[in-house]
């Protein structure tokens, strides 16, 4: 019996076999791989797809600094300091970010947090206040009060970004967009 199931899953090219493989892949990722990564990285959200352009630099670092540098300098962050920050060149919509849980958040780190938005927000820490953190999207003109990113409670921080994989997040974005077409 097990040999028949194994052959059906791995060697059969029928439509039903493909459907079963897709379901098995979903179950494996959702209930084993994702929770396993969460356990290893000590966060409930170990992997996120970037769904906005708020951290894009649109050109090289000097071009970015020419557009955005005055905000950082007015807020006490020099170009030299920014160059020491993790992911100093930002990242793009469609990238995948890996996170780990951390209570050791420093200025310049990129965190994912629960704000007033429906989705978690991924921005750079630009200030550490007595009660929490202030963040800003590298490509945004300022920190947004409506996203509650002026004074983020440390309990709302879901993780700190440490690795990006370019373009892989487009799979999630396209899939989400496809599902939303059917909900209309």
């Amino acid at each position: 019996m097990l040999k028949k199931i194994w052959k059906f899953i791995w060697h059969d090219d029928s439509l039903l076999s493909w459907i079963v493989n897709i379901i098995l892949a979903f179950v494996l990722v959702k209930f084993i791989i994702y929770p396993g990564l969460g356990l290893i990285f000590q966060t409930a959200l170990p992997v996120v797809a970037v769904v906005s352009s708020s951290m894009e630099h649109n050109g090289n670092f000097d071009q970015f600094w020419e557009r955005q540098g005055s905000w950082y300098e007015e807020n006490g962050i020099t170009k030299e300091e920014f160059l020491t920050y993790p992911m100093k060149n930002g990242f793009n919509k469609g990238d995948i970010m890996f996170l780990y849980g951390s209570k050791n958040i420093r200025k310049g780190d990129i965190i994912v947090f629960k704000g007033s938005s429906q989705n978690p927000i991924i921005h750079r820490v630009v200030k550490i206040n007595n009660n929490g953190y202030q963040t800003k999207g590298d490509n945004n003109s300022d920190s947004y009060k409506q996203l509650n990113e002026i004074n983020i409670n440390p309990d709302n921080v879901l993780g700190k970004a440490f690795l990006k994989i370019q373009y892989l997040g487009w799979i999630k974005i396209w899939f989400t967009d496809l599902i939303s077409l059917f909900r209309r």
Side-chain angles (χ1 to χ4, degrees):
M1 177 72 166
L2 286 177
K3 284 184 179 184
K4 285 183 180 180
I5 294 172
W6 184 262
K7 184 177 183 208
F8 172 74
I9 292 172
W10 293 108
H11 300 290
D12 194 337
D13 281 336
S14 68
L15 177 62
L16 183 59
S17 175
W18 278 93
I19 292 171
V20 168
N21 273 285
I22 291 170
I23 292 169
L24 285 174
F26 174 79
V27 168
L28 183 67
V29 169
K30 174 103 174 136
F31 297 108
I32 296 175
I33 294 173
Y34 199 78
L37 287 173
L39 188 62
I40 292 167
F41 296 139
Q42 300 177 346
T43 178
L45 197 64
V47 181
V48 295
V50 179
V51 297
S52 81
S53 59
S54 66
M55 291 295 291
E56 291 181 358
H57 281 204
N58 301 318
N60 67 35
F61 183 82
D62 288 329
Q63 292 168 326
F64 157 75
W65 195 258
E66 196 172 298
R67 286 187 311 276
Q68 295 286 340
S70 62
W71 186 95
Y72 290 100
E73 288 171 347
E74 289 169 10
N75 286 277
I77 300 171
T78 66
K79 182 178 184 180
E80 291 73 26
E81 181 182 1
F82 198 99
L83 284 168
T84 67
Y85 289 169
M87 298 184 208
K88 66 181 182 276
N89 292 316
F91 44 87
N92 300 315
K93 179 177 180 178
D95 290 349
I96 288 280
M97 305 300 290
F98 285 82
L99 313 173
Y100 66 91
S102 176
K103 300 295 180 197
N104 184 22
I105 308 282
R106 297 184 313 230
K107 190 163 72 165
D109 286 343
I110 296 169
I111 62 171
V112 173
F113 63 96
K114 293 182 282 186
S116 60
S117 171
Q118 173 183 327
N119 297 317
I121 301 163
I122 183 165
H123 282 169
R124 187 178 307 278
V125 175
V126 291
K127 289 182 185 170
I128 298 179
N129 306 316
N130 292 336
N131 300 330
Y133 311 106
Q134 178 177 337
T135 63
K136 176 186 173 302
D138 288 358
N139 196 26
N140 293 347
S141 59
D142 203 350
S143 298
Y144 293 132
K145 292 177 185 169
Q146 68 269 27
L147 292 178
N148 290 340
E149 69 175 328
I150 302 297
N151 196 21
I152 301 161
N153 184 319
D155 292 338
N156 289 338
V157 175
L158 301 170
K160 185 160 87 170
F162 71 93
L163 175 69
K164 79 174 175 183
I165 298 177
Q166 294 181 317
Y167 311 118
L168 195 57
W170 281 108
I171 295 168
K172 180 198 184 242
I173 293 168
W174 291 329
F175 187 72
T176 304
D177 289 349
L178 181 66
I179 288 174
S180 70
L181 288 175
F182 291 111
R183 289 185 179 168
R184 291 181 186 173

